[in-house]
Amino acid sequence: MTATLNTPTTTTDRTNRLKSTRQGGRMVADYWEDLFTARERGKQIVWYNGGALNPIFQAAGLAWCHGEAFAARLAAQGLEGPAQLAGAEHGYNAELCSYSRTHLGCAVLTVQGDEGINTGVVGAHDQAELAARLPAPDFFVNNYAGCSTGQQWDEISYRVFDKEVPIFNISHPFLWGNKPDAGYLTGEEWESASYYVRDQLLALITWLEERTGNPFDWDMLRESMTYIKRAAELRREGLELCKAKPAPATFWDWISAIAPINFLPGNQELVDYFESVRDEIQDRVDKGISGVENEKYRVYFDGIMNWNKLGFLSRKFAEHGVAVLAGRYITNAFWQEPQLIDTDDPLLGMAQHYLLCPTNHGTKTLDYLTLRDCEEYDVDGIVFHSTRTCRAFTGPQRLLARSAQNNLGIPSIFFEGDVADASFYKEEILESRLAAMLEGIDVKRTQAS
Amino acid sequence: MSRGAAALEALRAVARDPRSHIEAWRSAHPEGKVLGVLPMNFPRELAHAAGVMAVIVPDDQQPVTEGRAFLPEFYCGYTRNLADQAATGRFDQYDGLFVADHCIQLLGSADVVRALEPDRRVFLGQLISSLSDSWAGQKTAQMMSLLRTEVESFAGTTIDDDALRASIASFNRDRDLMRQIFDARAGGDVSYSPVDLQDIVASAQIMDPDEHHALLSDVVAERQFLPRDERIRVHLSGHLCHAPRRELLEVIEEVGAVIVDDDLWTGRRYLQAGMDESLAPMDALAKWYAGRNTALPCPTRVQHDVDWDAWLLDAVKRSDAEAVVHLMPKFCEPHMLFYPELRRALDEAGVPQLLIETEHEGIPLESFRTRLEALIERTHRNRPAYA
Ligand code: SF4
Ligand code: SF4
């Protein structure tokens, strides 16, 4: 029996993206506009990386800029070039994490902008567009779990600003799983790491109080975490609904909904947003509407996002009838275990989420999560985004692919790309490998029938 | 062959063929255990005191073959080589692997070892990398004590404080002797070639410290001070976890430079900090860890008031180096992140510099030669006209 693959000949968009996520786009755009004018409104500004500390900053009366989010936004809008050029001129190698390279480029531009220096690389317009719009920081806070680059990156930002901006570091033990009792959300290692990070959050709050002169608003923290917890529950409900066949929404829809859960203020608007997303998905389940026209294959996506190619990738997979419906970056990140949050005393649950960054687990735990999700979402294959400059995400991928094949008989492919540098994306590789994997799945189905 | 020359040969043999040395140790200690440890900060003293042979796993310079199936090609050469060692059974010579560090690429390679060698203990006891925090001292002490417990469990014995004191003294003595040689080089003695020095340090990372010290003492006893000539004085910087290829060191000297100091892993970085023998041994371990980063700053650590760039400028002054060659292993993220700080500091100080990215396989020696020649020429122009 010969397997057939309907190689698409047209570029018709076969995606059926959620309408409700558009509102998130508007909320995020407003947030950035607000941030760009924060200084004028007398706000102090914190630059941070890693886990979502925004509820703490909100309660400390600060405006916040998440470095990765800013780099991702630039890449998604195709605006990363000037910052990356400035970074390259400053000496950052093109193989360096492109999030950090982009953000450090912004830092360089911001410093140069402050000094009134024109680099000759980036025109005044670009500077106005990028660095000058991003207000210079009053503080740095590093909250990066897992990836050493994440911690080192802020230290370098601190140095780019000639050590004049105070910095606070939170350390996160890597959840390696040394002990037999170690597992996902369980074991002594997990418990002790949780309290260690919780204690550091308390130290951060004191540090912020001392430096801002603002008393920390604990009620506001409880309130915003109450909203965030509710939003995260709704998000989880929506993710659960995507196990339906056909999948009512896809990984790409959830990617569009990352920014709101990652750094928008905890408030009723956030809850309303995720309620509308969940409701739209429920409505689609009820009506049998799918996120991809004629879903034929179900696929899990592993890797950090390729922000330059977001729309393109969603169309590409849909062209082949592939519903990419879950992935490590979505399913196992961003307040993904809301039951851990005690809204009366939220710090421990927050600390635990920072530890649950999907780059902070040893492969044993990632393997557990990946196999669990592949089974629950009943996927036919895994697509690994071999993210060129993100060693944290890519390190375990080959072991995960091997395990999925050995334990579940699930095939996988790797395609090359990057978080925020389009030059690493290899279109032909994705196309040919995807075609080959789908063909293999067809063969398997035929043999089984 | 003189006694000193034979001793150097013996050190060189261990540096270049660690496997045979480990096998010989195993034959002599049939009940003994061999623990592989990864750079940069695991205190081998703990394992030594437990009667375990602790080897800092070297890049064995074999091309990466089956290891490609386990780590992506954009991991640094050292970590890909480790994955390859595990994938091809070359890791079998170790009974376990302990890691105390932070670099995500190191952790990635350790995870490959754990997956491929399920019967071996692969333990991560991560020492705090953010060293400015007020709790860093306490966290370091806690982790050292956990490492001690784990080493005891691995060795199947308890570590006696006196034995630990003795191990600290042994490693200190060996490091001190190596440091004297490096200091002498920085002070003008060029009696050791850079390849000799690399072999000396690389063998120390594998051998028992007393055995190493005895051989090195024989080498030192026969050496005479050899003053520098007129070649351009170069400081070598980088290669945080493994040795650069010997050919590269040779070509640097062939083009008319003399290496007068370094901060390489198989150089000063390994031996710069000693342990304080007047302290209780566990306190000495913790203080050593904190002190390593001030003795020679490392870009995998975060310590706001400690600067690799400032250290480098001081080192350049101390050794009277005229130029710096950065050896950056391709894809080494900590080095890529810190490099602009080094570049900026050296530029401001008017020190000529050259960045060489090294690959694990294949060194384009001729292109390096051309670039090094250009550096030497540039540096010559900095010399006063009467020199
Ligand atoms: S390498 Fe990946 S995980 Fe690490 S800082 Fe960059 S984007 Fe984050
Ligand atoms: S510090 Fe550099 S050389 Fe060492 S393991 Fe990490 S990436 Fe490789």
Side-chain angles (χ1 to χ4, degrees), chain A residues 87-98 100 104 146-149 151-153 155-156 158-163 167-179 196 200 203 359 361-365 386-392 394-399 402 416, chain B residues 67-76 99 102-112 114-116 122-126 128-130 133 135 139 146 150 299-309 328 330-341 343-344 355 357:
Chain A
E89 196 190 47
H90 194 70
Y92 298 115
N93 188 302
E95 296 288 354
L96 181 61
C97 157
S98 57
S100 70
L104 284 164
C147 178
S148 50
T149 300
Q151 186 180 71
Q152 288 149 17
W153 157 12
E155 178 67 14
I156 298 297
Y158 170 73
R159 286 163 191 266
V160 168
F161 279 89
D162 280 329
K163 300 189 179 181
I167 180 165
F168 189 95
N169 276 86
I170 299 169
S171 297
H172 307 78
F174 193 92
L175 301 175
W176 180 255
N178 279 311
K179 293 284 162 62
Y196 174 36
Q200 292 176 78
T359 63
H361 303 289
T363 304
K364 272 205 289 198
T365 299
S386 188
T387 325
R388 175 78 179 202
T389 67
C390 180
R391 280 89 193 170
T394 48
Q397 286 182 329
R398 281 147 179 83
L399 292 172
R402 196 174 75 130
E416 290 169 31
Chain B
R68 282 166 205 247
F70 297 98
L71 275 185
E73 67 282 8
F74 42 82
Y75 261 52
C76 75
V99 189
H102 185 219
C103 173
I104 191 67
Q105 300 188 41
L106 270 186
L107 301 195
S109 63
D111 232 349
V112 171
R114 177 162 67 164
L116 299 185
V122 178
F123 183 82
L124 174 67
Q126 207 170 38
I128 181 168
S129 53
S130 174
D133 302 342
W135 50 87
K139 279 289 159 190
L146 179 62
E150 283 301 321
T300 67
R301 307 293 103 177
V302 160
Q303 192 168 6
H304 311 317
D305 55 355
V306 171
D307 310 311
W308 187 12
D309 40 341
M328 184 192 283
K330 194 154 189 193
F331 308 121
C332 174
E333 204 128 44
H335 199 171
M336 287 192 276
L337 272 169
F338 215 98
Y339 165 70
E341 300 301 308
R343 185 175 86 160
R344 175 163 72 154
L355 170 65
E357 259 191 309

Side-chain angles (χ1 to χ4, degrees), chain A residues 76-339:
Chain A
Q77 297 181 337
L79 290 174
E80 76 282 13
Q84 290 183 1
L85 266 175
E89 196 190 47
H90 194 70
Y92 298 115
N93 188 302
E95 296 288 354
L96 181 61
C97 157
S98 57
Y99 265 175
S100 70
R101 202 156 31 96
T102 309
H103 190 240
L104 284 164
C106 290
V108 169
L109 288 172
T110 304
V111 170
Q112 289 169 344
D114 281 358
E115 291 167 359
I117 294 169
N118 192 329
T119 62
V121 173
V122 185
H125 170 72
D126 297 318
Q127 291 201 25
E129 214 26 58
L130 300 168
R133 296 205 77 201
L134 183 63
D138 297 292
F139 310 104
F140 292 113
V141 178
N142 184 268
N143 190 33
Y144 227 106
C147 178
S148 50
T149 300
Q151 186 180 71
Q152 288 149 17
W153 157 12
D154 275 336
E155 178 67 14
I156 298 297
S157 297
Y158 170 73
R159 286 163 191 266
V160 168
F161 279 89
D162 280 329
K163 300 189 179 181
E164 280 165 9
V165 177
I167 180 165
F168 189 95
N169 276 86
I170 299 169
S171 297
H172 307 78
F174 193 92
L175 301 175
W176 180 255
N178 279 311
K179 293 284 162 62
D181 75 340
Y184 185 61
L185 307 184
T186 183
E188 197 276 328
E189 180 181 280
W190 165 246
E191 290 296 319
S192 66
S194 301
Y195 284 97
Y196 174 36
V197 175
R198 195 276 312 262
D199 290 350
Q200 292 176 78
L201 296 180
L202 282 168
L204 167 66
I205 289 168
T206 308
W207 186 86
L208 287 172
E209 281 185 321
E210 283 166 10
R211 276 160 189 77
T212 59
N214 306 334
F216 188 75
D217 189 338
W218 286 96
D219 285 338
M220 183 182 279
L221 179 70
R222 283 187 274 270
E223 188 183 306
S224 70
M225 283 311 298
T226 304
Y227 287 120
I228 286 173
K229 178 175 180 173
R230 184 64 197 131
E233 286 166 348
L234 291 160
R235 180 174 175 269
R236 277 241 71 99
E237 286 171 29
L239 283 163
E240 283 294 309
L241 290 169
C242 290
K243 291 175 181 168
K245 289 183 180 177
T250 64
F251 177 83
W252 316 109
D253 291 307
W254 291 112
I255 288 286
S256 306
I258 278 186
I261 196 69
N262 185 29
F263 59 82
L264 289 190
N267 54 27
Q268 187 59 45
E269 194 185 11
L270 187 73
V271 172
D272 292 345
Y273 168 71
F274 279 101
E275 195 161 47
S276 68
V277 172
R278 193 270 324 262
D279 288 349
E280 187 182 359
I281 297 174
Q282 181 66 62
D283 185 55
R284 285 185 171 198
V285 172
D286 295 343
K287 296 179 178 148
I289 300 170
S290 62
V292 164
E293 202 180 293
N294 298 329
E295 172 184 308
K296 195 172 170 205
Y297 311 96
R298 296 164 70 83
V299 157
Y300 185 85
F301 188 96
D302 186 276
I304 196 164
M305 198 47 225
N306 185 322
W307 292 104
N308 302 99
K309 299 281 170 195
L310 175 52
F312 177 83
L313 287 172
S314 72
R315 286 190 296 276
K316 166 147 225 77
F317 284 96
E319 269 172 39
H320 289 284
V322 175
V324 181
L325 41 81
R328 171 155 48 130
Y329 193 52
I330 287 299
T331 323
N332 297 308
F334 304 109
W335 303 115
Q336 69 271 40
E337 302 289 356
Q339 77 285 358

Side-chain angles (χ1 to χ4, degrees), chain B residues 308-337:
Chain B
W308 187 12
D309 40 341
W311 184 94
L312 184 56
L313 285 180
D314 283 350
V316 161
K317 264 194 212 116
R318 269 197 308 271
S319 69
D320 209 13
E322 297 165 283
V324 171
V325 174
H326 304 275
L327 295 183
M328 184 192 283
K330 194 154 189 193
F331 308 121
C332 174
E333 204 128 44
H335 199 171
M336 287 192 276
L337 272 169

Side-chain angles (χ1 to χ4, degrees), chain A residues 11-46:
Chain A
T11 50
T12 319
D13 185 359
R14 292 174 63 188
T15 62
N16 182 17
R17 304 285 295 271
L18 293 176
K19 311 286 173 293
S20 48
T21 53
R22 288 187 199 147
Q23 175 57 16
R26 281 186 284 273
M27 288 157 64
V28 170
D30 290 349
Y31 157 86
W32 287 113
E33 280 309 314
D34 221 43
L35 176 66
F36 295 149
T37 55
R39 176 87 61 223
E40 289 140 43
R41 285 177 287 109
K43 283 269 190 189
Q44 288 183 299
I45 291 130
V46 56

Side-chain angles (χ1 to χ4, degrees), chain B residues 11-29:
Chain B
L11 295 176
R12 179 167 292 147
V14 176
R16 299 187 187 185
D17 181 12
R19 173 170 285 275
S20 299
H21 179 74
I22 294 169
E23 277 164 11
W25 188 89
R26 272 202 192 281
S27 314
H29 305 81

Side-chain angles (χ1 to χ4, degrees), chain B residues 185 194 198 233-239 244-245 248-250 252-253 258-265 267-269 296 308 311-312 316 319 321 323-327 335 354 356 372:
Chain B
R185 176 170 75 163
Q198 179 160 297
R233 301 179 295 276
V234 165
H235 178 108
L236 274 191
S237 176
H239 258 254
R245 298 279 168 160
L248 184 50
L249 300 179
E250 283 161 358
I252 294 173
E253 298 222 324
V258 57
I259 297 165
V260 292
D261 204 356
D262 70 54
D263 54 50
L264 310 177
W265 172 246
R268 201 182 265 285
R269 188 172 292 282
L296 208 171
W308 187 12
W311 184 94
L312 184 56
V316 161
S319 69
V324 171
V325 174
H326 304 275
L327 295 183
H335 199 171
L354 174 67
I356 290 185
L372 285 161

